[in-house]
Amino acid sequence: ARLCGIRATWDYCWRRDEFVSWAERAAEQTAMWNSAAVVRWNTHKRYLCDLTERGVPTVPTALLPKGSQVNLAQMLHACGWSTTVIKAAVAQSGRYAMLVPPERRREGQAHLDRLLPHEDMLVQAFVPSVPERGELSLTYVEGEFTHAVRKKAPPGDFRVHDDYGGSVTPEAPAKAQLDAGLRALEAVGEPTLYARVDLVDGPAGEPLIMEFELVEPELFFRFSPDAVRRLVNAIGQRLGD
């Protein structure tokens, strides 16, 4: 193949090493978009810590390495977080995500104790705006913004995914949100064919990056036929057509 565009890889979270190795082998034989280096970086959510280090506004996140032992109560006290979200560091569709308010600390600790022997985990500060406002997803083609949608969780939940009953509606982003998305793209350090930036409202209403999807994102093309045309044209240009 002259070009490989990754679009539907919805089981890689269960075998990431295999997927990354495939991408690196394939990239030796064809043009890979997004690149194998991006695949390696973006399939592990330590990228959120990298974004923070690069000055990109990101939801406060702590990475817990596989095999480590963590006292969740002590950790949250040190971070100044009352309510937190625990999730797998290699995840799709909210894999192993658990909301842990103060009264569920014991359950959160048991969740970590069960999973940390086997894989890296994340602990994130809970963003109170998420259950009410959800997330704003910005889609990009060739580094240029195409359209945005608002993803909202069903009543009583914090997960905005379709799998859990979330809803999606189109929305026009504000300048501050577009600026945050652009800063994330600039932090990659190389061109991207497609990207999705998921933003939430921080304590002062400032946009914070919750997820930055560069491998297998849903791009909500049903809300923007123009974005489909732009992606098709971008692929054609890479093929020299």
Side-chain angles (χ1 to χ4, degrees):
R2 293 162 59 195
L3 181 145
C4 176
I6 302 173
R7 289 299 299 123
T9 54
W10 284 94
D11 62 348
Y12 82 71
C13 63
W14 302 104
R15 44 185 180 144
R16 173 179 176 261
D17 291 345
E18 182 182 346
F19 175 51
V20 171
S21 295
W22 168 83
E24 292 173 343
R25 292 195 308 273
E28 295 175 355
Q29 304 177 56
T30 187
M32 176 74 75
W33 291 96
N34 290 321
S35 75
V38 166
V39 169
R40 176 174 288 279
W41 180 67
N42 195 239
T43 50
H44 192 294
K45 294 187 189 300
R46 70 167 60 90
Y47 73 75
L48 292 169
C49 301
D50 294 340
L51 291 176
T52 299
E53 292 174 0
R54 297 170 192 176
V56 181
T58 308
V59 173
T61 301
L63 173 64
L64 307 181
K66 173 184 174 180
S68 60
Q69 294 183 333
V70 176
N71 184 306
L72 182 61
Q74 292 180 1
M75 175 187 173
L76 297 183
H77 177 75
C79 292
W81 302 342
S82 174
T83 299
T84 189
V85 174
I86 298 172
K87 61 180 69 170
V90 178
Q92 298 159 302
S93 298
R95 178 171 174 257
Y96 293 145
M98 174 184 283
L99 178 64
V100 184
E103 65 272 17
R104 295 189 66 192
R105 292 273 175 86
R106 183 174 296 181
E107 295 173 62
Q109 183 69 60
H111 195 55
L112 285 177
D113 291 345
R114 180 173 66 89
L115 294 169
L116 268 177
H118 308 288
E119 58 185 289
D120 299 343
M121 298 293 293
L122 295 184
V123 176
Q124 291 184 313
F126 174 66
V127 181
S129 67
V130 171
E132 179 181 351
R133 291 275 295 149
E135 301 176 11
L136 184 71
S137 291
L138 312 181
T139 295
Y140 295 82
V141 175
E142 292 275 65
E144 295 186 0
F145 170 75
T146 60
H147 61 290
V149 299
R150 172 72 60 181
K151 302 183 296 184
K152 296 187 71 173
D157 206 333
F158 69 101
R159 296 168 296 188
V160 300
H161 312 83
D162 291 344
D163 310 57
Y164 305 109
S167 63
V168 181
T169 54
E171 182 172 319
K175 183 180 183 301
Q177 294 164 330
L178 290 172
D179 289 345
L182 181 59
R183 291 176 66 181
L185 286 171
E186 291 173 343
V188 179
E190 64 175 83
T192 56
L193 174 60
Y194 53 85
R196 195 188 80 213
V197 181
D198 293 342
L199 301 172
V200 296
D201 297 336
E206 75 280 16
L208 300 175
I209 292 175
M210 175 70 78
E211 301 280 358
F212 183 28
E213 302 284 0
L214 299 170
V215 178
E216 77 327 336
E218 181 178 0
L219 298 175
F220 301 103
F221 281 144
R222 64 188 181 275
F223 294 103
S224 178
D226 179 64
V228 179
R229 288 189 290 269
R230 289 166 69 172
L231 181 62
V232 171
N233 289 338
I235 293 171
Q237 290 173 6
R238 281 170 168 74
L239 291 171
D241 295 343

